[in-house]
Amino acid sequence: MTFRALVTNKDAEGKVSSGVEQVEEARLPEGDVTVDIDWAGLNYKDGLCLTGAGGLVRTYPHVAGIDFAGTVSDSQSDRYGLGDTVVLTGWRVGETQWGGYAEKARVRADWLVPLPRGFSTRDAMVIGTAGLTAMLAINRLEAVGLKPDGGEVLVTGAAGGVGSVAVTLLAKLGYQVAALSGRAEHAASLLALGASSAVDRDSFLAEPDKPLETARWAGVIDNVGGKVLGKVLKQVKYDGLVASIGNAGGIGLETNVLPFILRGVTLIGIDSVMQKFETRVTAWQRLGELFDFEAYGAGNVTEIGLEQLPEAAQAILAGQVKGRTLVKVR
Ligand code: NDP
């Protein structure tokens, strides 16, 4: 038995490239559940894995793809039976483990989450790792006191996957959302998703730097890190809450302690990869209640096939992808 997979290889000169191949089922890794994959996602981290950037992939040949959704075709686990629809995000699948860019995957049952009622496998990948992480961030911020009437919440990297889902979820929850983006051409679309204002990244960064700046944000969901996060922290209101999710703009963080010691600002790290099962199930269920597929799908979802992934990987690393890119695997 063979099936299609996008296989990533590294040559003797260290050049990483990927191509679609027929792969023997015997090459699937060990695991207690086999999944027929319908849809995978394209995330920033997939861009890193497909290009070899960041050193996330240690062994080649490799099958990338950090998230996928599909149907259980074989199960040694009590939790899943044949025909169950499931989603997988995290657990370093697609990095150190066999990933979602193949028609089949074999994984540990603990890594899977049953799809919320009414979700198709495509719906699950419209949300994907990006949407799950946005939901985890909102849940954490609310657990420590963020409330819709507390003031504006800033989302950075707003036109990307995590950012655009964060904008739409916050708006649905009644927050006033400012969407910071480096791409002015997507401002109208972010307003359509529910943002109340659009902030231009270049103008924002060009404002004179001070140790503490005018307090503007009750909360922040930051997908960018680097200079943007450093500056944002100085603009957070008294007792404000900041979730750090991503590093699309760099891993550095240059700031000072004044926002923390004079304004009581809290900086919270969000990791979606190693979250426990119960936290994931709760987040997916809340996504099922909140996420408006029709509104989000209008202009924020692109579909590609396995063959288009190498090109799409370059585009996401260059900050050129809008919203979510879905990979139709079969
Ligand atoms: P996307 O590429 O879809 O979104 C990233 C966005 O960041 C871009 O769309 C762009 O938004 C902005 N951006 C890109 N390059 C730069 C730059 N040089 N400087 C400032 N802003 C930039 O990626 P994802 O949404 O998939 O992921 C976003 C980040 O979150 C990534 O760093 C990813 O690794 C991280 N992540 C972390 C997770 C966790 O568990 N902590 C889980 C998922 C993602 P715009 O054009 O609007 O400015």
Side-chain angles (χ1 to χ4, degrees):
M1 276 284 284
T2 64
F3 57 88
R4 288 170 78 241
L6 183 81
V7 179
T8 303
N9 277 296
K10 193 180 205 173
D11 68 17
E13 278 82 50
K15 186 170 175 289
V16 173
S17 60
S18 307
V20 176
E21 294 176 15
Q22 285 291 328
V23 171
E24 296 282 339
E25 196 157 335
R27 275 176 69 183
L28 284 172
E30 283 184 14
D32 41 13
V33 181
T34 307
V35 180
D36 284 350
I37 298 177
D38 298 326
W39 295 92
L42 174 72
N43 301 274
Y44 189 85
K45 210 185 244 180
D46 293 313
L48 297 174
C49 293
L50 287 171
T51 57
L56 299 176
V57 179
R58 299 284 163 81
T59 52
Y60 295 90
H62 176 65
V63 173
I66 68 161
D67 50 14
F68 64 76
T71 308
V72 172
S73 60
D74 187 45
S75 173
Q76 315 299 317
S77 153
D78 295 341
R79 197 182 281 165
Y80 297 103
L82 294 195
D84 286 352
T85 49
V86 289
V87 59
L88 186 145
T89 65
W91 302 110
R92 307 206 67 195
V93 165
E95 301 175 57
T96 57
Q97 316 282 343
W98 180 289
Y101 297 154
E103 288 177 336
K104 280 183 186 289
R106 190 177 294 133
V107 296
R108 288 173 51 176
D110 290 347
W111 296 348
L112 295 166
V113 171
L115 286 197
R117 195 181 298 274
F119 266 38
S120 67
T121 49
R122 185 180 182 280
D123 291 343
M125 277 303 103
V126 168
I127 290 172
T129 300
L132 176 71
T133 311
M135 191 77 264
L136 291 170
I138 294 168
N139 288 349
R140 276 290 295 281
L141 292 175
E142 289 189 337
V144 289
L146 191 72
K147 289 195 177 68
D149 59 6
E152 240 180 331
V153 177
L154 179 73
V155 176
T156 70
V162 181
S164 57
V165 178
V167 168
T168 188
L169 292 174
L170 286 165
K172 183 78 189 276
L173 286 163
Y175 288 88
Q176 243 193 303
V177 189
L180 183 144
S181 175
R183 291 177 286 173
E185 67 271 26
H186 297 322
S189 156
L190 289 166
L191 296 175
L193 277 182
S196 33
S197 63
V199 181
D200 174 65
R201 185 171 73 217
D202 288 342
S203 320
F204 169 83
L205 286 172
E207 288 166 18
D209 246 339
K210 295 193 211 138
L212 271 186
E213 301 178 11
T214 306
R216 296 167 71 181
W217 320 114
V220 179
I221 293 191
D222 177 62
N223 303 301
V224 163
K227 282 191 179 150
V228 170
L229 178 58
K231 191 164 178 65
V232 161
L233 282 166
K234 301 171 190 171
Q235 300 184 355
V236 178
K237 284 183 169 180
Y238 195 86
D239 265 353
L241 303 161
V242 181
S244 165
I245 291 182
N247 60 350
I251 60 166
L253 176 56
E254 231 178 87
T255 187
N256 65 72
V257 297
L258 296 187
F260 307 107
I261 64 176
L262 296 182
R263 287 187 180 156
V265 169
T266 303
L267 177 60
I268 299 170
I270 303 295
D271 171 57
S272 64
V273 177
M274 308 305 284
Q275 285 290 337
K276 58 183 186 193
F277 180 74
E278 294 74 17
T279 311
R280 289 168 194 266
V281 170
T282 305
W284 278 106
Q285 266 157 7
R286 197 169 186 209
L287 282 159
E289 289 155 23
L290 291 176
F291 194 81
D292 183 341
F293 287 97
E294 210 177 315
Y296 187 82
N300 295 293
V301 178
T302 307
E303 286 183 16
I304 62 171
L306 289 174
E307 287 81 1
Q308 281 89 55
L309 270 165
E311 199 184 327
Q314 303 285 350
I316 200 163
L317 293 186
Q320 291 164 355
V321 163
K322 180 177 180 232
R324 291 280 298 150
T325 299
L326 311 190
V327 185
K328 193 169 183 357
V329 175
R330 62 170 72 229

